[in-house]
Amino acid sequence: YYPGLKAPVSGTYLAAQHALLARVLREVFGIADKVSVLDVCYAMVTTPAAELTLQQRIPHVDGLEPDRIALIHYLVPQGCDGTAFYRHRSTKFETVDHARSEQYFASLNRDLRIHGHPPPAYLHGDTPIFERIGHFAGGYNRALIYRGRLLHCGAIGINSQLSATPGTGRLTITGFFAAG
């Protein structure tokens, strides 16, 4: 579902970040056990707004599992738009897990029938279906680490550079981890 290009990251990245990641996972998320690496890759948003699928135009979760942790590490020297977190207005859910998924998706489908599909654009702010509850700018070398069940999406502005060139595009490293 990623709206752009992805490429594998070498093992040296995780080796260099291991101590910091372990500390954050332990102190912030209470995860002291072994952590499995599910996926780590370079990512660049390159899909023009007119070509986005419905799933790319609304907030999403990275997994329904309680132990899924997501990482986004911004590598854009001049900074970029970042990531936004959302609350689903009908259910008031900010997270979606296995227990909530049936209710959430039924309500989301009902909302889409009532309000229609969002226009072909990256989500940037509030909508009739979702309320933005947080936004973190993509500062150079900033990393966000959050539970994968949080409703979120890239906060890609109308004037954002959607270049496939690492020096000018929205270059990040994304990672997904699971405790145990």
Side-chain angles (χ1 to χ4, degrees), residues 3 14 17 34 42 60 75-76 84 89 93 95-96 103 126 134-135 137-138 151 153 167 173-174 178-179:
L14 283 178
Q17 305 303 325
K34 181 181 176 182
Y42 289 106
H60 65 278
L75 301 175
V76 182
R89 291 181 189 274
F93 292 166
T95 63
V96 181
Q103 179 185 356
D126 293 342
H135 175 257
L151 284 165
C153 67
I173 292 176
T174 60

Side-chain angles (χ1 to χ4, degrees), residues 1 38 59-71 94-101 104-105 146-152 175-178:
Y1 294 115
L38 303 175
H60 65 278
V61 296
D62 295 322
L64 303 176
E65 303 81 11
D67 62 350
R68 176 78 52 103
I69 301 294
L71 158 82
E94 297 172 6
T95 63
V96 181
D97 58 13
H98 287 292
R100 291 179 162 186
S101 64
Y104 169 73
F105 288 112
Y146 52 93
R147 294 202 184 274
R149 62 183 180 222
L150 285 166
L151 284 165
H152 68 282
F176 303 100
F177 307 92

Side-chain angles (χ1 to χ4, degrees), residues 66-150:
D67 62 350
R68 176 78 52 103
I69 301 294
L71 158 82
I72 184 164
H73 186 176
Y74 299 98
L75 301 175
V76 182
Q78 66 275 19
C80 61
D81 293 323
T83 301
F85 294 88
Y86 287 85
R87 176 182 301 118
H88 179 239
R89 291 181 189 274
S90 295
T91 60
K92 307 292 188 232
F93 292 166
E94 297 172 6
T95 63
V96 181
D97 58 13
H98 287 292
R100 291 179 162 186
S101 64
E102 189 174 330
Q103 179 185 356
Y104 169 73
F105 288 112
S107 182
L108 175 60
N109 286 325
R110 186 174 48 254
D111 291 342
L112 290 169
R113 283 191 305 276
I114 293 167
H115 298 288
H117 288 193
Y122 286 97
L123 181 58
H124 202 75
D126 293 342
T127 74
I129 300 174
F130 294 98
E131 174 188 5
R132 186 168 82 172
I133 59 171
H135 175 257
F136 297 88
Y140 179 66
N141 205 28
R142 172 180 281 168
L144 293 180
I145 302 173
Y146 52 93
R147 294 202 184 274
R149 62 183 180 222
L150 285 166

